[in-house]
Amino acid sequence: MEARCPSCGSALTELDEDQWPAEGPVPAGTIAVFQCEQDHRVTVGQTQVSA
C-alpha cells in the first residue's frame, strides 16, 4: 500500500535525514519525514505513552 498525503492525497516519498527541512527545526523524537508532490511535509515521531 502506498502512503498518501493527508492534505492533498498525492503519493508520499520518504526523505533521507540530510534532506529534512533546514528552514525550521524538526521536532524532537522525529524518526521520518515524508514529502508529497505538492511539497506538503509529514513528520513521523515516536509514540510516548506513560502510565
Side-chain angles (χ1 to χ4, degrees):
M1 184 167 113
E2 186 175 49
R4 298 304 226 171
C5 176
S7 296
C8 67
S10 63
L12 288 171
T13 303
E14 186 171 2
L15 301 178
D16 289 330
E17 195 168 336
D18 62 345
Q19 296 176 312
W20 288 9
E23 64 273 358
V26 176
T30 298
I31 57 174
V33 177
F34 294 84
Q35 185 170 340
C36 76
E37 298 164 355
Q38 302 296 320
D39 290 328
H40 299 124
R41 292 198 177 111
V42 177
T43 57
V44 178
Q46 297 175 339
T47 301
Q48 296 181 359
V49 177
S50 60

